[in-house]
Amino acid sequence: MKAEAFIIHLGRAEARRPQVDRLTATLPLPVNVVDAVDGMALGDDEIEAVYRRHLYGPRYPFALRKAEVGCFLSHRKAWQAIVDRGLDAGLIVEDDVEPVDGSFEAALALAMKTVRAGDYIRFPYRSHTDSGAEVAKAGEATLVEPAHVGLGMQMQLVGRQAAAELLKMTETFDRPVDTTIQMRWRAKVRILAVRPPAVRQIGHLLGGTIVQKKSKPLGEVLSREVKRAWYRLALRVAAIGRR
């Protein structure tokens, strides 16, 4: 199988560069560093060319921040690289991820053995997400087809056909990239997930998030939580209706 790794890294996030170097040295695949799209540097015209609110149902209740648009475009760059390089699959890794010794190697080996051209295999870092029917197993590593796809884009193994399909369906978008992936009925890809977790998120050890967030009044915080809960419920109902 022809496969390579793609580490998404924003140049101005200098505190994360040592982790990029560590990943480059330890990942068991040829590594490419993808220059992440800096959302804060995007102009209004650039954002309007790709982002539209309320394109699809269920409606996503929040406007995207510039950083979220940049994150989405960065993952699109990685998908495009998989297609352009004619790979069978690409391992996409964000720069605040740390593989768990032992379990990661087994999980990646199983994913590489199982992946098809149209597959998108998640490596969640939370143990309580992405539960589902078992698809493949080797030792302690298991691949499942999750009943509900979890959030997060820390690491994924993406087949070439899946990358092409994702590019096609996200020429314009209306919600964050991980929430878009949750709408599995929109893309002709098979979504699988690794269990148990084989990676850790270590952004808190690398200077925290690069997204600047302002404190919000309590009323706004509560309103957002209600809207977020409503959206999660609407998403699950939509998924059930399309099975």
Side-chain angles (χ1 to χ4, degrees), residues 4-201:
E4 297 178 9
F6 299 88
I7 302 172
I8 296 176
H9 173 63
L10 183 63
R12 64 180 170 84
E14 296 179 359
R16 297 189 176 192
R17 186 68 212 192
Q19 181 62 14
V20 173
D21 295 339
R22 174 178 168 80
L23 288 167
T24 299
T26 58
L27 288 173
L29 292 170
V31 171
N32 308 273
V33 177
V34 176
D35 187 16
V37 176
D38 189 345
M40 303 309 295
L42 292 174
D44 291 341
D45 290 346
E46 293 174 293
I47 292 175
E48 290 172 4
V50 295
Y51 170 57
R52 304 276 196 282
R53 288 200 73 179
H54 305 322
L55 281 175
Y56 311 106
R59 285 192 171 192
Y60 187 70
F62 309 115
L64 292 197
R65 300 187 299 271
K66 284 189 170 184
E68 291 174 310
V69 175
C71 178
F72 207 129
L73 294 177
S74 299
H75 279 273
R76 279 182 50 83
K77 284 182 71 173
W79 299 336
Q80 189 67 61
I82 293 170
V83 174
D84 290 347
R85 296 176 72 84
L87 302 176
D88 296 307
L91 184 69
I92 301 174
V93 187
E94 294 191 337
D95 62 2
D96 60 349
V97 167
E98 177 71 16
V100 176
D101 288 343
S103 60
F104 171 72
E105 291 80 4
L108 180 60
L110 179 60
M112 294 282 288
K113 180 180 178 180
T114 306
V115 67
R116 303 173 187 167
D119 285 352
Y120 178 101
I121 301 179
R122 288 172 38 80
F123 287 68
Y125 72 97
R126 296 185 178 100
S127 60
H128 62 276
T129 67
D130 298 270
S131 299
E134 182 179 307
V135 173
K137 185 176 179 64
E140 296 299 318
T142 304
L143 282 180
V144 303
E145 189 163 6
H148 302 288
V149 179
L151 293 173
M153 299 293 291
Q154 284 71 35
M155 181 183 290
Q156 314 90 47
L157 182 67
V158 184
R160 182 171 67 241
Q161 181 181 325
E165 176 65 22
L166 290 169
L167 286 167
K168 180 180 177 182
M169 69 168 278
T170 62
E171 291 180 355
T172 54
F173 50 84
D174 68 346
R175 65 198 71 197
V177 60
D178 56 350
T179 329
T180 297
I181 297 296
Q182 287 184 310
M183 297 191 295
R184 64 172 77 195
W185 59 87
R186 290 201 57 238
K188 297 175 183 177
V189 302
R190 182 176 69 153
I191 300 178
L192 304 178
V194 169
R195 293 181 64 85
V199 299
R200 294 186 299 127
Q201 187 181 45

